[in-house]
């Protein structure tokens, strides 16, 4: 290989990706940029070198990629370990911060034991662990222990948050806040007992152990209720007045002061330390202050020290009053040339932090001056980011970056409008619909002293959800009521209509659109008097007595109203759980008419059935009288007392006697069938001899078994078990069963034919099997036996033979036995009667 065909490895690697199809002349540029023409032979001779160089280059690239992937994996692992270490450090730091906080936090996580952070000594609970702390009765007063346990129980079960004030047995006031966070629940316990102020207001004069007296007279409106929570945390005497000047709330320091001054409450009211004229003077001062605080020296009451002053401020629904030490100038501040007064409320931050609602206070320069932990929790500010002195604009921008502001198209305009809160002269209410699904009610209250703003936040997400759910439930309830065929009316304890459906208006012809939203029952009665002039108002006045009845022992009522226009209305009065009353009305006029028609028809059927029974009884009696005479004279003719008879005469006499006996049996069957239909047939159960029962049946059937007109007699073949079983039944009824079966077999058998009666038995039943060689039982008779309707089964039967079979079926069923029939294998038919060996046991069980 000459030198002109050699290529360096570097050139091969550089040019191998640009090689054209073999055989095509190509031009490459050497390092000296001189053109070299490579012919086909050169390429073929250099092919092994090119392939080897490509494989080597691929291997180098692969090794470099693997080294890079390994380094990336190592960096990722190192970064993950660093993050885990950082998370553990943060966790330790958070736990240390929780432990150092002036509160105790108890955390319950799913399927784990509770954890406690903080020192119980902060709560005045010394030498107590988690177990002792969870034993609320051990360190809380009885009522507050129950209140805290109940709040925690609802928090675990339904996630219902709470914020309550409780007191320990040592008299320390505790603020308890319960929150749900996913699958975990958190309870924070913070001491809410304010530090005693260093002032001329003597602790010995005003403060003592907590009082058991009621601190509140009646329920408080929302603004007054919120203010009472703050006042309960102050150690200065503080109280709330309503718009008329009456004391409606007082903290414990106020009550202690009243006891020191020997002022007692009268007529279930809170004690008053000022005269009525002084109270009016205070109200006038508050009114003249026009929203600002009003100060007044304490010489209104000569028993109060001159070192205290009365501070007052008006709020919605009343006013706040506080007896506070007079402002004085700090010696240290005077030495520094400052005359800034020292406020006795230096621990106001602690009071704000104890409140459950998030609060943030800004001064006139929009700088954050105070905030509570609930505000931090609401927006989950980063650690150590939120500090006093931050401008509200910075906070708003922070919330925007973290998607914690309402979604608006023009953020700058929204922010400008929000920051206009500093120009307000009255509270402004707004709703923030956050992107995470929460809804916040934001109240901006102007601070007339500092020209700043106090923001109060309230998470109303759950409240709105409940309202929406309640509205949906009411819509479903309304649609359900509208679909009912009954008229529904629900009345409150004040007698006003709370709920109704259109059917109520239709039944009583009420113009509901003219009666208003919640008409009183008197207006409804008056309207019914116009729509149903005959007796509409009178009916509703009677219903009114049940609606306004507040007796706790009252019961539900129901009845039927018959209006003068012929309308029949069924009504029901139901007492609801919230002392409301529900009335339902159903127009039953048409159904009642149907009911009357059916009742009349039923009465007619009962009368007809009674007439039928009476007719059968009378006819049976009337038939028996002449039949007895016929049988008597026939027996007399057949005897030799009146002379001998020829063979033909004796044959006629036998026919008369046989037909009379058959007619007598038929009459007995009709009477028995009537008793069975009436349900009055009873059995006389005794131990029976089966052979004697068969002989009795043969004796009644003897006339049929004799030779007549030269015809061969029927041959009855009886087969009995040996020994005979014990058989308890009604002997007369069993004889009737056998007689009717033999008569039916004889009717459909040819002269001289055989009739077989086989008896089988075991410990539980006795079975009579009757087989004949006749033409068989007609289908209409079989249908009559299987049909439970005896009236239909009697139709179309031949000469009463079906009645006999029906009697057989009735008596068999009275014995709790069974009757079946099927064709016989030798022609004719086979009837099987199965009776229990002791019918008394089965009858007793069925009773």
């Amino acid at each position: 290989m000459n030198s002109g065909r050699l290529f360096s490895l570097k050139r091969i690697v550089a040019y191998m990706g640009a090689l054209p199809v073999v055989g095509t002349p190509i031009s490459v540029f050497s390092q000296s940029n001189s053109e070299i023409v490579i012919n086909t032979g050169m390429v073929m001779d250099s092919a092994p070198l090119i392939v080897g160089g490509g494989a080597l280059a691929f291997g180098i690239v692969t090794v470099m990629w693997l080294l890079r992937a390994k380094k990336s994996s190592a960096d990722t692992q190192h970064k993950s370990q660093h993050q885990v270490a950082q998370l553990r450090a943060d966790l330790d730091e958070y736990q240390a911060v929780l432990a150092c906080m002036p509160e105790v936090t108890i955390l319950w996580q799913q399927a784990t034991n509770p954890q406690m952070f903080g020192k119980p000594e902060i709560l005045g609970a010394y030498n107590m662990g988690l177990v002792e702390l969870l034993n609320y009765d051990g360190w809380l007063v009885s009522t507050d222990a129950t209140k805290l346990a109940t709040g925690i129980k609802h928090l675990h079960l339904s996630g219902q948050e709470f914020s309550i004030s409780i007191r320990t047995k040592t008299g320390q006031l505790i603020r308890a806040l319960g929150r749900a966070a996913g699958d975990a629940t958190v309870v924070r316990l913070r001491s809410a007992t304010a530090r005693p102020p260093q002032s001329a207001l003597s602790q010995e004069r005003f403060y003592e152990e907590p009082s058991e007296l009621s601190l509140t007279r009646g329920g408080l409106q929302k603004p007054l209720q919120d203010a009472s929570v703050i006042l309960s945390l102050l150690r200065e005497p503080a109280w709330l007045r309503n718009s008329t000047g009456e004391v409606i709330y007082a903290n414990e320091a106020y009550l202690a002061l009243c006891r020191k001054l020997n002022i007692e409450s009268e007529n279930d009211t809170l004690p008053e330390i000022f005269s009525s004229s002084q109270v009016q003077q205070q109200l006038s001062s508050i009114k003249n202050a026009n929203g600002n605080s009003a100060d007044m020296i304490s010489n209104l009451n000569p028993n109060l020290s001159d070192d205290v002053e009365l501070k007052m401020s008006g709020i919605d629904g009343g006013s706040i009053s506080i007896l506070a030490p007079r402002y004085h100038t700090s010696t240290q501040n005077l030495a520094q040339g400052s005359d800034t007064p020292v406020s006795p409320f230096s621990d106001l931050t602690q009071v704000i932090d104890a409140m459950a609602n998030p609060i943030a206070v800004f001064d006139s320069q929009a700088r954050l001056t105070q905030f509570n932990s609930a505000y931090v929790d609401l927006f989950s500010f980063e650690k150590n980011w939120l500090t006093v002195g931050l401008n509200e604009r910075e906070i708003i921008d922070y919330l925007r970056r973290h998607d914690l502001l309402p979604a608006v198209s023009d953020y700058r305009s929204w922010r400008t409008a929000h920051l206009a809160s500093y120009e307000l002269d009255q509270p402004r209410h707004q709703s923030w619909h956050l992107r995470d699904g929460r809804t916040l009610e934001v109240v901006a209250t102007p601070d007339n002293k500092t020209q700043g703003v106090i923001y109060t936040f309230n998470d109303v997400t759950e409240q709105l959800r409940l309202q929406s759910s309640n509205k949906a439930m009411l819509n479903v309830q309304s649609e359900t009521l509208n679909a009912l065929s009954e008229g529904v009316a629900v009345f409150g304890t004040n007698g006003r209509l709370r709920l109704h459906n259109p059917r109520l208006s239709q039944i009583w012809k009420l113009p509901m659109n003219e009666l208003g939203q919640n008409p009183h029952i008197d207006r409804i009665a008056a309207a019914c008097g116009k729509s149903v002039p005959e007796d509409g108002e009178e009916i509703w006045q009677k219903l009114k007595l049940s609606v306004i009845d507040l007796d706790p022992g009252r019961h539900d009522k129901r009845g039927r109203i018959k209006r003068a226009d012929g309308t029949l209305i069924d009504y029901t009065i139901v007492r609801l759980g919230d002392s409301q009353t529900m009335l339902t009305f159903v127009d039953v006029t048409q159904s009642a008419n149907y009911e009357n028609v059916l009742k009349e028809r039923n009465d007619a059927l009962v009368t007809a059935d009674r007439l039928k029974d009476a007719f059968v009884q009378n006819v049976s009696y009337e038939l028996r009288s002449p039949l007895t005479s016929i049988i008597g004279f026939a027996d007399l003719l057949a005897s030799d007392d009146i002379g001998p008879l020829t063979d033909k005469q004796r044959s006629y006499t036998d026919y008369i006697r046989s037909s009379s006996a058959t007619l007598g049996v038929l009459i007995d069957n009709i009477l028995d069938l009537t008793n069975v239909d009436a349900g009055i047939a009873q059995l006389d159960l005794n131990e029976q001899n089966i052979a004697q029962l068969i002989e009795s049946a043969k004796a009644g059937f003897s006339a049929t078994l004799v030779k007549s007109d030269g015809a061969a007699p029927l041959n009855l073949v009886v087969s009995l078990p040996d020994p005979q079983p014990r058989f308890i039944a009604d002997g007369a009824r069993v004889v009737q069963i056998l007689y009717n079966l033999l008569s039916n077999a004889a009717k459909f058998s040819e002269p001289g034919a055989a009739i077989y009666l086989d008896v089988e038995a075991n410990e539980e039943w006795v079975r009579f099997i009757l087989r004949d060689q006749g033409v068989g039982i007609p289908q209409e008779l079989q249908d009559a036996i299987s049909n439970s309707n005896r009236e239909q089964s009697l139709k179309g039967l031949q000469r009463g033979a079906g009645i006999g079979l029906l009697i057989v079926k009735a008596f068999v069923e009275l014995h709790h036995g069974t009757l079946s029939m099927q064709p016989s294998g030798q022609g004719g038919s086979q009837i099987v009667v199965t009776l229990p060996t002791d019918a008394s046991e089965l009858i007793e069980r069925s009773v």
Side-chain angles (χ1 to χ4, degrees):
M1 182 178 299
N2 55 33
S3 60
R5 296 181 181 180
L6 295 179
F7 289 88
S8 66
L9 177 61
K10 183 176 181 180
R11 288 182 178 179
I12 293 175
V13 173
Y15 297 146
M16 67 180 180
L19 290 177
V21 180
V22 176
T24 303
I26 62 174
S27 297
V28 296
F29 296 91
S30 64
Q31 293 179 347
S32 60
N33 297 328
S34 60
E35 187 179 35
I36 301 176
V37 179
I38 303 176
N39 57 26
T40 305
M42 293 174 60
V43 173
M44 294 300 294
D45 293 340
S46 303
L49 187 58
I50 294 173
V51 173
L56 180 60
F58 177 77
I60 294 174
V61 172
T62 303
V63 170
M64 293 176 63
W65 180 82
L66 290 175
L67 291 175
R68 192 174 206 179
K70 181 178 180 181
K71 183 177 182 302
S72 176
S73 177
D75 292 343
T76 303
Q77 184 177 4
H78 178 72
K79 186 176 180 181
S80 300
Q81 292 175 351
H82 177 73
Q83 291 178 345
V84 171
Q86 184 63 34
L87 290 175
R88 289 177 178 174
D90 291 343
L91 179 60
D92 294 338
E93 185 177 355
Y94 292 152
Q95 291 180 348
V97 171
L98 287 175
C100 295
M101 291 289 288
E103 64 181 27
V104 174
T105 303
I106 304 176
L107 172 66
W108 286 270
Q109 290 181 311
Q110 189 175 14
T112 60
N113 295 325
Q115 295 176 277
M116 180 181 68
F117 304 95
K119 299 178 180 179
E121 290 80 4
I122 299 174
L123 309 178
Y126 298 96
N127 299 324
M128 289 179 59
L130 177 61
V131 177
E132 292 79 10
L133 193 65
L134 295 179
N135 181 20
Y136 314 119
D137 292 324
W139 59 287
L140 295 175
V141 296
S142 177
T143 55
D144 289 348
T146 303
K147 182 165 58 174
L148 178 60
T150 303
I152 294 177
K153 177 182 178 181
H154 289 300
L155 179 64
H156 288 326
L157 294 179
S158 59
Q160 180 178 349
E161 300 180 351
F162 65 88
S163 176
I164 58 176
S165 295
I166 55 178
R167 191 169 295 277
T168 66
K169 292 184 177 180
T170 59
Q172 188 170 356
L173 187 63
I174 304 296
R175 190 66 179 168
L177 297 91
R179 296 289 184 269
D183 294 335
T185 53
V186 180
V187 173
R188 298 170 54 199
L189 303 174
R190 176 184 288 262
S191 176
T193 302
R195 296 186 300 273
Q198 303 298 326
S199 66
L201 193 62
S202 173
Q203 179 178 354
E204 179 183 0
R205 182 175 180 83
F206 286 143
Y207 312 126
E208 59 182 35
E209 292 300 319
S211 171
E212 297 296 332
L213 295 176
S214 174
L215 302 180
T216 306
R217 183 172 183 265
L220 297 179
Q221 299 177 1
K222 178 64 175 174
L224 296 174
Q225 185 178 3
D226 293 340
S228 67
V229 175
I230 299 177
L231 297 186
S232 66
L233 303 177
L234 298 179
R235 298 184 64 85
E236 290 82 4
W239 61 96
L240 296 175
R241 296 186 187 276
N242 57 18
S243 57
T244 62
E246 181 184 2
V247 179
I248 56 176
Y249 172 81
N251 67 357
E252 295 172 357
Y254 178 88
L255 297 178
L257 175 61
C258 292
R259 287 192 292 273
K260 292 291 184 181
L261 299 178
N262 295 323
I263 299 176
E264 298 181 356
S265 59
E266 298 179 358
N267 300 326
D268 193 25
T269 60
L270 294 174
E272 175 64 71
I273 63 176
F274 299 103
S275 64
S276 58
S277 60
Q278 293 170 345
V279 172
Q280 294 302 321
Q281 183 180 354
Q282 296 172 19
L283 294 179
S284 299
S285 300
I286 295 173
K287 183 177 180 182
N288 295 333
N290 193 22
N292 296 320
S293 298
D295 298 340
M296 187 174 296
I297 61 174
S298 62
N299 57 9
L300 293 174
N301 190 318
N303 295 322
L304 297 179
S305 171
D306 292 336
D307 292 334
V308 296
E309 62 181 349
L310 176 63
K311 303 185 71 65
M312 301 170 293
S313 179
I315 60 174
D316 293 341
S319 62
I320 302 175
S321 301
I322 302 175
L323 272 180
R326 299 187 67 182
Y327 286 162
H328 62 279
T329 303
S330 171
T331 305
Q332 182 179 3
N333 289 347
L334 289 176
Q336 297 174 354
S338 173
D339 58 354
T340 303
V342 178
S343 171
F345 304 108
S346 57
D347 55 349
L348 184 59
T349 301
Q350 183 178 359
V351 175
I352 293 178
D353 194 50
M355 298 185 65
N357 287 343
I359 296 177
V361 182
F362 295 86
D363 61 12
S364 59
Q365 303 299 321
R367 294 174 301 189
L368 180 64
T369 59
Q370 291 174 331
F371 61 92
N372 60 357
S373 57
Y375 179 71
V376 178
D377 295 339
L378 178 65
F379 295 110
S380 301
F381 288 103
E382 295 178 359
K383 182 181 178 182
N384 299 329
W385 186 87
L386 187 66
T387 58
V388 173
L390 279 176
N391 190 279
E392 185 180 3
R393 185 184 298 269
E394 298 180 53
I395 298 177
I396 292 296
D397 291 339
Y398 173 92
L399 295 179
R400 183 198 181 193
R401 290 194 303 271
H402 291 79
D403 293 333
L404 294 174
L405 288 179
V408 293
S409 57
D410 189 352
Y411 167 70
R412 293 183 180 275
S413 300
W414 180 91
R415 184 179 62 182
T416 302
H418 173 76
L419 294 177
S421 304
Y422 297 91
E423 302 173 1
L424 297 174
D425 55 1
Q426 59 183 357
R428 180 187 66 188
H429 296 260
Q430 289 182 323
S431 294
W432 288 8
H433 301 284
L434 306 186
R435 297 180 182 180
D436 58 5
R438 291 182 297 170
T439 300
L440 304 180
E441 181 183 4
V442 183
V443 181
T445 305
D447 188 347
N448 296 323
K449 276 192 172 183
T450 64
Q451 302 303 316
V453 178
I454 302 175
Y455 291 103
T456 304
F457 300 85
N458 186 22
D459 190 346
V460 295
T461 307
E462 185 66 18
Q463 179 181 350
L464 294 178
R465 187 189 66 79
L466 292 176
Q467 290 177 354
S468 176
S469 176
N470 184 51
K471 184 177 180 180
M473 186 182 301
L474 289 177
N475 291 336
V476 173
Q477 185 182 35
S478 177
E479 293 177 0
T480 303
L481 287 177
N482 294 342
L484 293 178
S485 60
E486 297 90 350
V488 179
V490 178
F491 291 90
T493 54
N494 57 357
R496 291 191 173 275
L497 184 65
R498 304 269 315 262
L499 192 66
H500 71 282
N501 64 348
R503 184 59 178 161
L504 177 71
S505 175
Q506 297 173 6
I507 293 177
W508 292 100
K509 306 175 183 178
L510 291 173
M512 299 304 298
N513 55 336
E514 300 178 6
L515 295 178
Q517 185 68 22
N518 299 106
H520 194 272
I521 191 172
D522 289 333
R523 290 195 61 190
I524 297 178
C528 282
K530 297 179 181 179
S531 59
V532 187
E534 296 86 357
D535 55 354
E537 185 172 5
E538 179 184 356
I539 293 173
W540 273 91
Q541 288 297 338
K542 292 180 180 179
L543 294 174
K544 173 185 174 182
L545 299 178
S546 299
V547 171
I548 63 176
D549 183 11
L550 300 180
D551 182 9
R554 59 185 182 171
H555 301 286
D556 298 345
K557 293 182 181 179
R558 62 179 60 224
R560 175 168 291 182
I561 298 173
K562 185 175 182 180
R563 293 198 321 217
D565 58 2
T567 304
L568 297 177
I569 300 174
D570 282 351
Y571 72 92
T572 303
I573 301 176
V574 180
R575 312 300 180 182
L576 303 181
D578 51 356
S579 299
Q580 298 186 116
T581 304
M582 180 177 68
L583 278 68
T584 61
F585 303 94
V586 182
D587 189 347
V588 295
T589 305
Q590 189 174 9
S591 60
N593 292 335
Y594 291 153
E595 182 180 350
N596 291 333
V597 171
L598 293 176
K599 187 174 183 298
E600 292 174 358
R601 178 170 294 184
N602 183 70
D603 292 341
L605 291 175
V606 171
T607 302
D609 189 63
R610 186 166 53 251
L611 292 175
K612 180 198 70 174
D613 293 341
F615 172 77
V616 171
Q617 295 286 347
N618 292 332
V619 169
S620 299
Y621 175 78
E622 296 297 333
L623 290 177
R624 278 187 177 279
S625 298
L627 183 61
T628 302
S629 300
I630 293 174
I631 293 175
F633 284 114
D635 290 341
L636 181 62
L637 290 175
S639 66
D640 295 334
D641 295 339
I642 59 175
L645 298 176
T646 64
D647 293 339
K648 197 166 190 65
Q649 291 174 338
R650 185 169 297 279
S651 175
Y652 291 157
T653 304
D654 291 340
Y655 276 120
I656 293 173
R657 295 171 63 193
S658 176
S659 299
S660 299
T662 302
L663 182 59
V665 172
L666 180 61
I667 294 173
D668 291 338
N669 287 342
I670 293 175
L671 290 175
D672 290 336
L673 188 60
T674 303
N675 292 335
V676 171
D677 287 338
I680 60 176
Q682 296 181 353
L683 299 178
D684 183 14
L685 300 177
N686 294 291
E687 188 170 353
Q688 308 294 333
N689 186 291
I690 297 178
Q692 293 179 359
L693 296 176
I694 295 176
E695 289 298 326
S696 298
K698 288 173 59 179
F701 191 61
S702 59
T704 308
L705 299 179
V706 299
K707 181 178 179 180
S708 178
D709 290 338
L714 296 173
N715 182 21
L716 178 61
V717 180
V718 179
S719 175
L720 294 173
D722 188 20
Q724 296 185 24
R726 182 173 178 267
F727 183 43
I728 298 178
D730 187 333
R733 306 299 188 190
V734 175
V735 170
Q736 284 182 279
I737 292 173
L738 296 176
Y739 173 80
N740 282 287
L741 291 178
L742 293 174
S743 298
N744 185 75
K747 177 178 178 56
F748 297 101
S749 298
E750 298 294 334
I755 299 175
Y756 301 93
L757 177 60
D758 300 329
V759 180
E760 300 176 354
N762 60 15
E763 296 180 355
E764 297 181 357
W765 47 261
V766 175
R767 181 170 295 159
F768 299 90
I769 304 174
L770 184 70
R771 292 179 288 110
D772 61 45
Q773 299 175 345
V775 296
I777 300 177
Q779 184 64 38
E780 56 184 357
L781 290 182
Q782 297 184 30
D783 295 339
I785 292 300
S786 60
N787 194 339
S788 59
N789 190 333
R790 294 188 178 91
E791 293 184 1
Q792 295 181 2
S793 65
L794 290 174
K795 295 179 181 180
L797 299 181
Q798 297 180 2
R799 296 175 56 187
I803 296 178
L805 291 179
L806 287 177
I807 288 296
V808 170
K809 180 181 180 182
F811 288 162
V812 169
E813 291 176 351
L814 282 177
H815 282 82
H816 289 268
T818 59
L819 172 66
S820 62
M821 60 179 60
Q822 59 268 352
S824 176
Q826 301 176 355
S829 61
Q830 175 177 296
I831 299 178
V832 179
V833 175
T834 303
L835 301 177
T837 56
D838 189 352
S840 61
E841 295 182 0
L842 297 178
I843 294 175
E844 290 177 358
R845 296 176 188 173
S846 63
V847 174

